[in-house]
Amino acid sequence: DRYEEAEYAAAEIHRLVREGHLRWRDIAVISRDASPYADPIEMACSKLSIPYFSDQTVSAADHAIIRFLIGVIECAAYGVTAKRLNVLLKSELCGVDQMDAGIFENYTFVWDIQPDEWAQPFFANPSGFKESMSEQETETLARAESVRKRLVEPLLSFIDATAETDARTFCEEVFKLFC
């Protein structure tokens, strides 16, 4: 398991420095292919407050902000779909925790939300066609609706504000999405 390997290596590094055998700058972790270890190493080092630097080439498309911007532009150019909204949510730049993002994704899958329905509040049972909602289903619906409002309403405002506009206004509206 890569996470266990990274945690073990981080613990050993921490021990060596703590016992005074080495300094942080004296240590290097080298791997033939570091990409599968990038997240595990980052998490393990962060957990133990180990300063680290990773010298690996990363495509611009791998950065969350770029994935988010591409998703926003695709929504504006081709329409808002559940798939595109989930790309935005998975960028983790929307301020929505992963549990609520999953609830939103499940709701949109169950109800197959169409492009003209995104502006409307969610109201249907998140479990599908049922006569009534349990207390848990009511809470799940409220959480899905909260994500819709937080994600979709600013996005639709962005799309309206940037339709047939110049580059300056477009950039200003992109900036507003982050503020």
Side-chain angles (χ1 to χ4, degrees):
D1 179 12
R2 290 183 179 116
Y3 286 89
E4 288 177 5
E5 289 178 52
E7 287 179 11
Y8 176 79
E12 281 298 300
I13 291 167
H14 192 264
R15 181 188 64 77
L16 290 168
V17 172
R18 187 184 66 237
E19 292 176 357
H21 300 294
L22 295 169
R23 295 173 294 180
W24 298 122
R25 67 180 181 196
D26 298 330
I27 301 169
V29 177
I30 301 171
S31 172
R32 182 182 316 212
D33 181 11
S35 58
Y37 290 91
D39 289 339
I41 289 172
E42 180 179 352
M43 288 177 63
C45 288
S46 295
K47 203 182 288 186
L48 295 174
S49 300
I50 297 173
Y52 76 98
F53 168 76
S54 176
D55 186 22
Q56 64 183 46
T57 305
V58 178
S59 166
D62 291 337
H63 292 281
I65 194 166
I66 300 300
R67 287 194 311 270
F68 179 82
L69 287 172
I70 289 171
V72 166
I73 292 168
E74 286 180 348
C75 284
Y78 307 115
V80 178
T81 64
K83 183 177 180 181
R84 291 186 184 114
L85 291 174
N86 287 316
V87 167
L88 298 178
L89 285 172
K90 289 176 182 171
S91 74
E92 299 183 358
L93 294 175
C94 299
V96 175
D97 69 47
Q98 291 305 302
M99 180 64 90
D100 285 346
I103 288 170
F104 178 85
E105 185 173 9
N106 288 340
Y107 185 93
T108 61
F109 176 78
V110 167
W111 289 105
D112 190 26
I113 308 298
Q114 297 302 304
D116 60 332
E117 298 173 320
W118 290 110
Q120 305 306 314
F122 291 166
F123 62 89
N125 190 323
S127 297
F129 292 105
K130 288 175 70 177
E131 285 291 318
S132 61
M133 279 191 265
S134 68
E135 190 174 311
Q136 182 178 357
E137 289 167 331
T138 302
E139 171 64 24
T140 299
L141 173 61
R143 290 172 73 179
E145 171 57 14
S146 174
V147 173
R148 186 201 66 80
K149 285 173 101 171
R150 187 173 196 162
L151 176 65
V152 176
E153 289 182 0
L155 179 61
L156 293 176
S157 294
F158 169 83
I159 291 169
D160 288 342
T162 58
E164 300 180 34
T165 190
D166 60 13
R168 179 185 178 105
T169 304
F170 182 85
C171 291
E172 288 171 351
E173 293 300 322
V174 166
F175 182 76
K176 287 180 190 176
L177 283 174
F178 291 102
C179 298

